[in-house]
Amino acid sequence: MVVDDEWPALEQMRELLQQCENIASIHVFDNPREAFTAAAELKPDLIFLDIQMPELSGLAFAENLLPFSPDTEIVFVTAYRSYAVEAFDLSAADYLLKPVDPPRLFKTWSKFLSKRMQSGQPGQASPSAHFQYLGGHSLTGPLGAVKWSTHKAEELFAYLWIHKQGSVSVILNDVFPQWNYEKGKQYLHTTVYQIRKTLKNAALGDNIELTSDRENYRLEARDIEGDAERFQEAALAALQDNNPDKLRDASSLYKGELLQSLDSLWIYSARDKYRKLYLKLLEQLTLGLIQTGRHYEAEEYALRLAELEPLEESYALQIISLYYEIGKPLRAQRRYTQFRDSYRNEMGGELPEWFLEAYGRLGS
């Protein structure tokens, strides 16, 4: 959670925290009293708290919150060094000066994460290898991150990981479309050799086997975890269970679009599959939080939907409605104006009548 009476500071902190690993959700508040009510209810793991705020100072906020959420840690954020002694008297986890230096913030988060992991219960041993391909993509083995000899070898590995197998003709069409059949086939064989050699050098030969059978290639993986598979499994289970907390945990596993840095045509259908699953998670999670009265939590996920699909009328109306529900009519009106202007610029027309009628009922 981030609490600051200056909206630009909140936006900066949100953007920086979104770059940190293992953050399930980020709640931002520009009203300290609203934030206190939400913190007492949500009991966040960590709060980045401005000290000088109207109505309720950050120091008083932290002191009063302690009986309601004793395990919540506080990082004070302020432009004044003079508050440092008082901050640490309240057992603050850290103290950041404005403007916040990104590396300093990342260090604070890493320190907090390490402390929580050390104090937590020991879990199951991590797999000996891991393939991350939501957001960025990297293959990690017993010797660390795998370094590919060529970009094409890296892409072909990702292709075979996703599809499990493929005929030579299909692979050539998808991964080597710029080559004629004979040259492409030669390039494919060379690239397969590079993959096998790279996996062997990375001590992954026992985990990943790339075999060929006449005109087909097959990739089999053992004792290796893929983050997209893990996300899909958790998402489908959470959607069936329809528990907001499980939906939230599953959504936190989606770190970005599939193979985000690659731009080959074959990626788009697979990328769209995981993106749609993520959107479905957020839709069900937001609705569930609203229905159970957890509006402050719902705000974050409603905003995330609107950011992912900025021209989707239902998402825009949902966040506007939510702002009215939690008593923020000015923010609701500002959101409506921004959406209307974006819609005009991108779609070349006015908002549909049903949207205007629904919005009119919200503001009345």
Side-chain angles (χ1 to χ4, degrees), residues 101-115:
D101 178 51
R104 180 71 176 81
L105 172 64
F106 300 150
K107 182 179 179 181
T108 296
W109 172 250
S110 296
K111 184 171 69 173
F112 167 80
L113 202 57
S114 297
K115 180 179 176 181

Side-chain angles (χ1 to χ4, degrees), residues 75-288:
V75 173
F76 287 105
V77 185
T78 182
Y80 304 97
R81 292 181 181 272
S82 57
Y83 287 110
V85 174
E86 293 177 79
F88 285 109
D89 281 345
L90 290 169
S91 300
D94 210 341
Y95 185 93
L96 299 178
L97 286 173
K98 293 180 178 180
V100 173
D101 178 51
R104 180 71 176 81
L105 172 64
F106 300 150
K107 182 179 179 181
T108 296
W109 172 250
S110 296
K111 184 171 69 173
F112 167 80
L113 202 57
S114 297
K115 180 179 176 181
R116 283 297 169 103
M117 291 177 68
Q118 290 169 8
S119 63
Q121 297 297 321
Q124 297 178 340
S126 298
S128 61
H130 176 80
F131 184 41
Q132 175 198 341
Y133 58 116
L134 289 175
H137 61 284
S138 63
L139 176 64
T140 304
L143 304 181
V146 172
K147 295 183 179 179
W148 296 99
S149 55
T150 65
H151 291 301
K152 192 56 72 173
E154 184 176 21
E155 180 184 346
L156 180 59
F157 174 81
Y159 178 92
L160 290 171
W161 177 279
I162 292 171
H163 293 90
K164 308 305 179 189
Q165 62 181 349
S167 67
V168 169
S169 59
V170 172
I171 293 173
L172 290 178
N173 183 67
D174 289 345
V175 185
F176 304 92
Q178 68 273 37
W179 301 95
N180 63 41
Y181 184 82
E182 290 303 323
K183 285 188 176 181
K185 190 174 180 180
Q186 184 178 354
Y187 194 9
L188 171 60
H189 292 327
T190 301
T191 307
V192 167
Y193 170 78
Q194 291 171 340
I195 292 175
R196 287 171 173 159
K197 184 178 180 181
T198 298
L199 293 175
K200 181 180 179 181
N201 292 339
L204 285 170
D206 293 334
N207 298 91
I208 305 171
E209 187 177 8
L210 178 53
T211 60
S212 60
D213 177 17
R214 294 185 179 180
E215 290 292 302
N216 294 283
Y217 283 98
R218 178 189 300 273
L219 188 143
E220 296 182 7
R222 295 177 293 274
D223 299 323
I224 177 169
E225 182 181 63
D227 64 343
E229 289 83 3
R230 183 182 171 212
F231 162 70
Q232 179 175 269
E233 182 180 353
L236 294 175
L239 286 168
Q240 185 173 6
D241 191 66
N242 199 26
N243 177 284
D245 294 323
K246 291 183 179 180
L247 289 164
R248 180 195 60 208
D249 292 343
S251 72
S252 71
L253 298 176
Y254 186 84
K255 303 299 183 182
E257 292 194 337
L258 191 80
L259 299 168
Q260 194 166 291
S261 61
L262 294 181
D263 197 34
S264 299
L265 291 177
W266 67 265
I267 296 171
Y268 288 99
S269 60
R271 183 178 289 166
D272 192 50
K273 166 189 166 183
Y274 288 103
R275 192 175 193 275
K276 285 180 177 177
L277 183 58
Y278 180 54
L279 289 172
K280 182 64 176 176
L281 269 180
L282 293 182
E283 290 172 3
Q284 201 160 311
L285 171 57
T286 305
L287 181 60

